[in-house]
Amino acid sequence: QVQLVESGGGLVQAGGSLRLSCTASPRTFSSYRMGWFRRAPRKEREFVGHFTWSDGSTDYVNSVRGRFTISGNNAKNTIYLQKNNLKPEDTAIYFCAARSRVVPATWDRWGQGTQVTVSS
């Protein structure tokens, strides 16, 4: 049974930083790409960013570009979401997801989510 487990959420003041982790298990699970999504109160889930294992490339939604950084540790099967200069509008449940293959372009594995609250 493949599992994605997020950690690192919590309460932080505006302007602060937080780092989320997402570990995939079992260790034998491999994916093409892993990413982060979030769902803010009363809003739809949105893409935050992703990390591609083959070349370490990343991409981000415009609203977080320059503030958030995704990195990966292949040995730990873990990706990280470093969030700096946090804003109240970053308050959301953050979900980790994995895209097992290049094709189909489907996020087929999901974590349970971790709450991040940014106070003003």
Side-chain angles (χ1 to χ4, degrees):
Q1 181 81 5
V2 174
Q3 282 191 316
L4 302 182
V5 179
E6 303 99 335
S7 62
L11 174 65
V12 63
Q13 288 189 329
S17 298
L18 208 60
R19 190 178 81 156
L20 305 183
S21 301
C22 172
T23 299
S25 63
R27 182 61 187 89
T28 53
F29 171 73
S30 65
S31 61
Y32 163 67
R33 179 175 285 172
M34 290 179 69
W36 292 95
F37 292 74
R38 65 185 180 185
R39 186 173 67 235
R42 298 174 296 281
K43 291 189 176 181
E44 297 290 321
R45 186 177 66 196
E46 70 167 344
F47 168 80
V48 174
H50 68 64
F51 176 88
T52 301
W53 288 107
S54 59
D55 61 5
S57 61
T58 57
D59 192 21
Y60 305 91
V61 67
N62 285 340
S63 60
V64 308
R65 189 170 284 122
R67 299 188 298 123
F68 291 9
T69 303
I70 299 176
S71 59
N73 184 323
N74 190 50
K76 296 183 178 180
N77 221 5
T78 298
I79 63 167
Y80 306 94
L81 177 63
Q82 176 66 44
K83 305 189 292 181
N84 299 327
N85 191 22
L86 282 161
K87 304 176 181 181
E89 52 264 42
D90 294 318
T91 294
I93 301 173
Y94 284 73
F95 298 89
C96 174
R99 181 173 149 186
S100 298
R101 298 175 176 82
V102 178
V103 178
T106 304
W107 296 95
D108 55 331
R109 309 288 184 183
W110 290 87
Q112 293 297 309
T114 184
Q115 176 71 47
V116 172
T117 303
V118 183
S119 62
S120 57

